[in-house]
Amino acid sequence: MKKRLSVLMAIGLAASALTACGGNNTSSSPSAPAASSAPSASASQKPSGDPVTLTYAIWDSNQEKGLRTMADEFEDNHPDIKINIEVTGWSEYWTMLEAGATGGSLPDVFWMHSNEIYRYASNGMLLDLSDRIKSSQSVKLENYPEGLNQIYNFQDKQYAIPKDFDTIGLWYNKTMFDAAGVKHPDETWTWDDLYSAAKVLTKDGVYGFLAPLHNQEGYYNFIYQNGGTVITDDKQSGYDDPKTIEALEYYVNFAKEGLSPAVFDDAERAELIKNGKVAMGYFGSWNLSGFTENEYMAKNFDVAVLPKKEKQASIYNGLGHAIAYNTKHPEEAWQFVEFLSSKEGQERQAELGVAISAYNGAADLWISSNKTFNIKAFVDMVDYGVIRPYSNTTAVWEDKVNEALGQAFSGKIPVKEAALNAAKVMNESLSQEK
Amino acid sequence: MSKVVSRRISRQTWSEWSWGWFLIAPTMIGLIVLNIIPIIQTAYLSFFKSGDFGRGNIFVGLDNYRKMFDDVQVWHAVGNTLLYAVLVVPISIALSLIVAVLLNGEIRGKSLYRTIYFIPMVAAPAAVTMVWRWLYNEHFGLINYVLSRIGINAVDWVGNPKVSLISIAIIGIWSVIGYNMVLLLAGLQEIPKDFYEASEIDGASKLRQFFVITLPLLSPTLFFVVVTSVIQAMQVFDVIYMMIDVTSPAYEHTVSLVYLFYNNSFKYSNKGYGSAIVILLLAIIMVITFLQVRGQKKWVNYM
């Protein structure tokens, strides 16, 4: 009896122990996002006459202010629609969205990304916008860069409309450049110029260049500048490509020679550049508002196009606006997306400096939205921009590749070995794709 | 006559029973809905290759488990989780026992001290970790600043694989002391004063009193604290999640089973595999708890 009691107690205690994690596994798991979108759903069921409330989910708090202004203007013209903007940080955003999709409570309108579009589109979580675009006066796909349209096209159906695009720029501390007598970077710069500048600028506890373990704002750019690739057209890993390995060797070398701090942490990168610990760094255009607000950056920094090797390249990506398949208000949601994607909406977004609007020609307005930095560089790079590599399960292999390459960054194994390991895990992951 | 009596008693018993059930119903329902059903679902899911958004799960039998036993990362996570528990449980219990005994005595402002020790338990773990991250920061952190003033080189508290688990354990210990202290204080206050008075007359020192009276009479509370602390430590997640990125060189040396479960389930959308990992954790916790419950008669003293 006593024995049985102790067994029972063991099971009971252990079982209660598991609940914190076990609970996460059910569809109802992170209840917060589900709960937060519920009010909008219930509010919308009220009889007509009351305004319809649309939830608009985004992940970048830097853009919230500008988008709120746009939403207010939209509400003025559509008194029967209210827009409720919900901001969730990047990694929590996808957990929230997945929970919403599983539990049937997606936001009405939300941002989509190349990493995740396949999963959402192939499972029918997004409203097919093809017919609405066809009959729309103000939204024509030919007004957006073809590469961006393609990301959000699945089996000839358009599931999202490009919102903006981003490229990566070379941010440099002009004060440090001038003090060291180094010429400011421009479009003629090559890898050799970058390397020799980093060497001259590395002194007094300041590193010349920031070469962190980061893909989009790091080694991806170098791989494509060197003529290598991350993923081939037939969905194989490009990490065993000699050109890719060569680029990685050049990149890792900065940290190895002490020209760059060894940085693995995402948030640490911006801390370092904002505190004058590094003289140069690669950062995407979406950092613009954060950098402009930073007094030190605004005073000392400027931005240029990326240096080239075999060719010029900059990783280029763009978000899309998608609508939930099961939204209660497809018409109203479409009106909002139509506004955001129209010439007026896109120009307004550029003017307010929210992001580089995807609409052809609207980018010029974005350039004049910021006088602090030479942000024209970001738009100049579109001509040779390389779409951020993606497949159906990007998020999975990107992490595994980072884990594998991290071994080389910390100097444990040679770059070539790490790259071949990365190719192996990436191909394993790709082979599991449907 | 006797029949009537028995019927009356049984009616009364029945009413007592129904009242009993009625009173425990909220807990029971909560337990079933929030604990039991999810556990069964998790166990069920661990035999499937999960489809996106909970649709199209494919039964794969023991594949997830087979894959798990070949996955070195899982074994690293088991090692890290156990090591974390070994670091946190003994130290935190020893410290909270000392604090509890001190605060059980006659000192001025003891309720203030009790509150101070309990504060880490009230603060949100994510917020607490953010503050610790700044303290630990290699370049700008307070700890390294103080060390530099006394001539010690900067330590990469978070990124260095050799120290990162210790850094995490320090946060774990710091945040759990207050809670354990409150439990132990409650246990201490149940010990009758007479024992101490009697032993004092017999000439026992304070230290001897502690080992001969306090410790044995506190052992039931201590047992409860040990069991729950181990379980809590085995589930470590939020601190590691907040501090260590997958890209960190310390990831392999700090990833815990729950963190691995989270990454597989939510980042890589492989819920079946994630479930298998968490069932492994359940099994480990069950074995440890079972051994503890069996071993309690060796040292736990129910008066």
Side-chain angles (χ1 to χ4, degrees), chain A residues 150-407:
Chain A
Q150 271 313 311
I151 294 176
Y152 300 111
N153 191 300
F154 176 72
Q155 293 177 345
D156 291 326
K157 289 184 181 133
Q158 196 70 26
Y159 285 100
I161 302 173
K163 167 188 177 294
D164 57 28
F165 66 81
D166 48 71
T167 54
I168 313 298
L170 172 64
W171 293 81
Y172 62 96
N173 191 320
K174 45 189 186 190
T175 316
M176 288 179 188
F177 268 71
D178 293 342
V182 183
K183 203 167 107 350
H184 291 191
D186 56 30
E187 67 283 353
T188 63
W189 259 39
T190 63
W191 281 15
D192 295 335
D193 294 314
L194 179 70
Y195 177 76
S196 52
K199 249 192 147 152
V200 176
L201 292 162
T202 301
K203 57 182 177 193
D204 310 329
V206 174
Y207 295 94
F209 182 57
L210 179 66
L213 177 62
H214 198 277
N215 44 33
Q216 191 175 2
E217 294 174 286
Y219 57 83
Y220 276 2
N221 297 285
F222 288 86
I223 290 171
Y224 285 97
Q225 285 156 7
N226 200 38
T229 185
V230 171
I231 184 165
T232 60
D233 292 339
D234 54 347
K235 302 287 177 215
Q236 291 290 309
S237 171
Y239 282 100
D240 46 7
D241 181 335
K243 292 276 187 194
T244 305
I245 296 172
E246 194 183 61
L248 287 170
E249 276 167 346
Y250 171 82
Y251 186 74
V252 173
N253 191 45
F254 281 104
K256 206 186 272 170
E257 286 193 22
L259 305 178
S260 160
V263 176
F264 301 88
D265 182 70
D266 192 35
E268 199 184 340
R269 301 177 301 125
E271 279 166 27
L272 286 165
I273 201 158
K274 283 179 182 170
N275 284 286
K277 292 265 179 188
V278 291
M280 293 183 280
Y282 277 23
F283 286 93
S285 50
W286 59 89
N287 291 291
L288 185 64
S289 57
F291 284 0
T292 311
E293 277 166 26
N294 184 286
E295 268 177 52
Y296 179 82
M297 293 280 300
K299 192 163 151 265
N300 296 302
F301 271 83
D302 208 344
V303 62
V305 299
L306 299 184
K308 61 190 168 197
K309 170 77 172 168
E310 272 192 10
K311 55 184 175 190
Q312 288 193 294
S314 177
I315 297 299
Y316 164 56
N317 198 21
L319 317 180
H321 276 129
I323 301 176
Y325 78 101
N326 60 350
T327 173
K328 294 221 167 56
H329 314 286
E331 285 319 313
E332 287 84 355
W334 169 250
Q335 282 179 27
F336 185 51
V337 169
E338 196 176 31
F339 162 72
L340 292 170
S341 317
S342 67
K343 187 160 186 284
E344 297 72 43
Q346 287 277 294
E347 285 180 347
R348 191 81 184 108
Q349 172 180 262
E351 239 166 54
L352 289 167
V354 175
I356 318 180
S357 290
Y359 200 91
N360 291 337
D364 292 335
L365 284 166
W366 179 76
I367 294 171
S368 49
S369 75
N370 187 306
K371 305 273 180 263
T372 317
F373 305 113
N374 171 35
I375 58 173
K376 186 167 173 293
F378 287 114
V379 180
D380 290 346
M381 282 185 282
V382 173
D383 294 338
Y384 45 83
V386 178
I387 293 275
R388 189 183 201 270
Y390 68 99
S391 75
N392 298 348
T393 56
T394 320
V396 180
W397 54 258
E398 269 192 345
D399 258 14
K400 310 240 169 205
V401 164
N402 263 336
E403 273 178 53
L405 293 182
Q407 302 272 315

Side-chain angles (χ1 to χ4, degrees), chain B residues 222-237:
Chain B
L222 217 46
F223 173 69
F224 176 77
V225 171
V226 170
V227 171
T228 50
S229 294
V230 169
I231 291 172
Q232 221 174 35
M234 298 291 291
Q235 294 178 47
V236 59
F237 168 68

Side-chain angles (χ1 to χ4, degrees), chain A residues 17 19 26 98 264 399 403, chain B residues 35 41 231 235 247 267 271:
Chain A
T19 53
T26 60
E98 171 158 4
F264 301 88
D399 258 14
E403 273 178 53
Chain B
N35 298 15
Q41 281 182 333
I231 291 172
Q235 294 178 47
T247 51
K267 246 181 136 180
K271 296 213 169 54

